[in-house]
Amino acid sequence: MQVLILAAGKGTRMKSPNPKVLFEIAGFPMLFHVMKAFEGIKGVNKINVLTGYRSDLIREKISPLFPETSFYLQKEQLGTGHAVKCFIDEKTVQDEDIFIACGDTPLLKKEELEEFATFHKENKNVLSVMSMSPEDPFGYGRIMTEENVPVEIIEEKDADNDQKKIRRVNSGIYIIKESFIRECIDKIDTDNSQGEFYLTDLVRLCYEKGLSSGVFEGNIHNLEGINDIKALSLARKEIHRRINEKLMLSGVDIYDPESTFIDLDVEIEADVKILPFTVIKSGSFIESGSSIGPFARLRQGSLVGKRCKIGNFVETKKAVFKDGVKASHLSYIGDSVIGMGTNIGAGTITCNYDGKNKFKTVIGENVFIGSNTSLIAPVKIDDNSKIGAGSVISKDVPEYSLSYSRAKQSIKKNHFRRK
Ligand code: UD1
Ligand code: CA
């Protein structure tokens, strides 16, 4: 079985020049979440993506994440039927099933897709469609059935008032036998109110031929298509909820899941505390016994060892904190490695960027960095050294030394008239 994900459309209602399927959710493009749901499903041996609008950009973003993906091109978006034709015309002929989904449904769950595949197989269907029953079916294709056999799918714009009352709608997910697609795809016409080639016409053609087909009712919460920014933000919330739930069940103590935003690939060990209003981005890893937040922002590639503390208003990026490091307040630590047991005082900034290039800060073990220190990278602070508060450090600091660089304090006595 091969998967085909339709992602050629622009997503006009997002009101953005960026393709809809590349909008970010928990550190990854929307399309990645769809592909992830299909990855590893029993019987699936290949994931194909059909692109059109900004095709190159989509390939560039998805290829590193899923190197095995095959891409197909639909130059002009003439409808979902035409989209599948573009794929099938290029594909090598095989006798297999094609699992079709849309690139804008990031909430899909693997277990549900597996159940659908089993339903298709056990009923020996030529065509199976996944349905859902939203409170308000507006905008979706309505499924006409006869004893759970789909007869026809009528799009919102083609439906009469009675048909519009039907709540059971097409989720846009299908499993269809390749041979049947090849036989019937050219029979689809554009004789409808949108003048598009509707993939859903295959449902009617299958019924008319008397071939076996069926409808599988899915969970609306997993099937929602993202058409505008409002729906995107709700999907993000749901995906973050799922990520937090999984982490909490594995022993991560998230004080307030509602205000905690952790990317999909972040790894956090049990016995870590995440305090409210914390953001942890992709490629980060936190070991047991550490405490993060409140109001912490761990950006890409923050590696936090055991029993560390990253406190309020600390931002980190590409930073390695060995065991027992504390950065408790108001810091920016980027492109840095910090040795065991080191204490980073409040307001410490690693000045890693000179406007052109990034440079590294390397801090040893058991170092004490006084509050409000600027570390001008590249710079190296050796083990067991101490830096006085308010320093600007641009030269390497040797071990067991004390460094400070700040203007001497002047005191002008009796400078003001006493009252
Ligand atoms: C489609 C279904 C509708 C279903 C709904 C579920 C048809 C005719 N209708 O409607 O029954 O309820 O999905 O969300 O299929 N795409 C292409 N190339 C095209 C057109 C679309 O790749 O030429 C892709 C889009 O990028 C999108 C998906 O196909 O990912 C669905 O297209 P869209 O136009 O959103 O279909 P709907 O009108 O929502
Ligand atoms: Ca449409």
Side-chain angles (χ1 to χ4, degrees):
M1 179 158 62
Q2 295 203 16
V3 174
L4 172 63
I5 299 171
L6 306 182
K10 177 172 188 283
T12 314
R13 283 169 284 173
M14 303 301 277
K15 308 213 189 295
S16 160
N18 300 318
K20 173 161 78 176
V21 294
L22 291 186
F23 272 77
E24 193 235 45
I25 303 177
F28 292 87
M30 192 189 299
L31 179 56
F32 173 90
H33 293 267
V34 179
M35 296 175 79
K36 199 81 191 149
F38 281 99
E39 193 187 43
I41 287 183
K42 210 171 134 251
V44 166
N45 51 40
K46 195 157 194 216
I47 300 179
N48 307 281
V49 175
L50 183 96
T51 58
Y53 179 74
R54 307 231 40 202
S55 174
D56 291 347
L57 187 64
I58 296 175
R59 286 171 198 221
E60 186 191 310
K61 299 283 182 206
I62 296 299
S63 294
L65 300 170
F66 280 102
E68 307 286 299
T69 313
S70 291
F71 292 94
Y72 291 80
L73 186 66
Q74 183 192 26
K75 283 201 189 107
E76 250 186 301
Q77 284 71 65
L78 304 178
T80 47
H82 178 255
V84 171
K85 181 175 158 56
C86 289
F87 164 71
I88 218 80
D89 283 352
E90 293 292 316
K91 181 188 183 293
T92 46
V93 181
Q94 261 167 304
D95 185 23
E96 60 184 331
D97 284 321
I98 311 296
F99 208 144
I100 301 171
C102 299
D104 64 353
T105 50
L107 299 174
L108 295 180
K109 278 196 175 159
K110 192 187 299 297
E111 310 85 70
E112 189 169 49
L113 296 172
E114 269 166 349
E115 278 174 44
F116 179 49
T118 306
F119 164 85
H120 175 79
K121 211 170 153 204
E122 281 178 357
N123 290 288
K124 297 194 173 62
N125 285 343
V126 167
L127 182 154
S128 302
V129 54
M130 203 191 275
S131 64
M132 56 185 183
S133 302
E135 218 44 65
D136 177 8
F138 180 82
Y140 290 109
R142 311 298 204 278
I143 307 184
M144 316 286 136
T145 52
E146 266 173 20
E147 289 160 7
N148 212 39
V149 170
V151 176
E152 197 177 3
I153 295 180
I154 314 267
E155 293 304 304
E156 173 81 32
K157 287 183 177 141
D158 303 296
D160 63 32
N161 282 334
D162 280 341
Q163 289 165 334
K164 280 183 187 165
K165 285 183 192 132
I166 296 172
R167 270 189 59 211
R168 197 171 192 192
V169 301
N170 173 19
S171 70
I173 297 173
Y174 323 80
I175 302 176
I176 313 177
K177 240 177 147 38
E178 179 179 329
S179 55
F180 173 73
I181 299 177
R182 289 191 186 278
E183 199 185 317
C184 290
I185 197 85
D186 289 319
K187 294 191 182 129
I188 297 177
D189 58 30
T190 56
D191 188 12
N192 53 60
S193 65
Q194 302 191 81
E196 288 179 13
F197 293 94
Y198 287 170
L199 179 62
T200 45
D201 283 1
L202 288 184
V203 171
R204 182 177 40 81
L205 292 165
C206 190
Y207 178 78
E208 282 170 3
K209 279 181 172 286
L211 299 168
S212 63
S213 59
V215 189
F216 176 93
E217 177 78 2
N219 182 344
I220 173 79
H221 300 295
N222 305 333
L223 297 169
E224 184 147 24
I226 306 306
N227 288 319
D228 54 32
I229 300 289
K230 187 179 167 213
L232 173 70
S233 82
L234 292 173
R236 279 205 189 102
K237 226 183 176 56
E238 169 61 12
I239 285 177
H240 282 299
R241 192 195 64 74
R242 289 179 188 177
I243 292 168
N244 288 340
E245 185 177 274
K246 202 171 158 199
L247 288 169
M248 288 188 286
L249 292 174
S250 76
V252 179
D253 185 3
I254 301 179
Y255 280 45
D256 179 24
E258 290 270 321
S259 70
T260 301
F261 303 89
I262 301 174
D263 280 355
L264 193 65
D265 65 337
V266 170
E267 288 178 64
I268 307 180
E269 290 186 347
D271 191 33
V272 167
K273 286 192 185 80
I274 310 282
L275 285 95
F277 303 103
T278 290
V279 177
I280 307 178
K281 298 302 292 174
S282 196
S284 297
F285 178 51
I286 302 161
E287 292 183 51
S288 62
S290 289
S291 165
I292 313 291
F295 297 100
R297 180 177 180 210
L298 276 58
R299 292 167 58 201
Q300 278 73 7
S302 297
L303 308 179
V304 180
K306 295 190 197 313
R307 297 174 307 281
C308 290
K309 184 175 178 209
I310 308 289
N312 42 220
F313 308 109
V314 174
E315 175 182 347
T316 68
K317 195 211 73 185
K318 284 195 193 154
V320 181
F321 297 85
K322 300 281 172 66
D323 296 351
V325 172
K326 288 189 171 64
S328 300
H329 345 257
L330 300 159
S331 275
Y332 171 63
I333 309 292
D335 300 298
S336 306
V337 180
I338 298 158
M340 274 203 293
T342 285
N343 188 87
I344 308 278
T348 298
I349 307 290
T350 55
C351 310
N352 62 331
Y353 186 51
D354 66 0
K356 272 196 188 133
N357 297 301
K358 299 267 169 75
F359 300 94
K360 271 193 96 165
T361 302
V362 178
I363 304 175
E365 296 178 5
N366 299 316
V367 171
F368 184 93
I369 311 274
S371 293
N372 207 26
T373 292
S374 301
L375 299 165
I376 316 284
V379 70
K380 195 163 177 284
I381 318 289
D382 275 350
D383 297 350
N384 302 300
S385 58
K386 204 166 195 174
I387 292 182
S391 293
V392 176
I393 299 294
S394 52
K395 293 193 195 116
D396 287 356
V397 170
E399 58 178 358
Y400 290 99
S401 62
L402 169 68
S403 298
Y404 50 91
S405 82
R406 59 188 183 218
K408 266 217 170 87
Q409 182 174 350
S410 318
I411 301 178
K412 293 188 179 170
K413 283 188 178 163
N414 297 321
H415 188 67
F416 300 104
R417 190 176 299 164
R418 286 168 208 271
K419 279 185 188 140

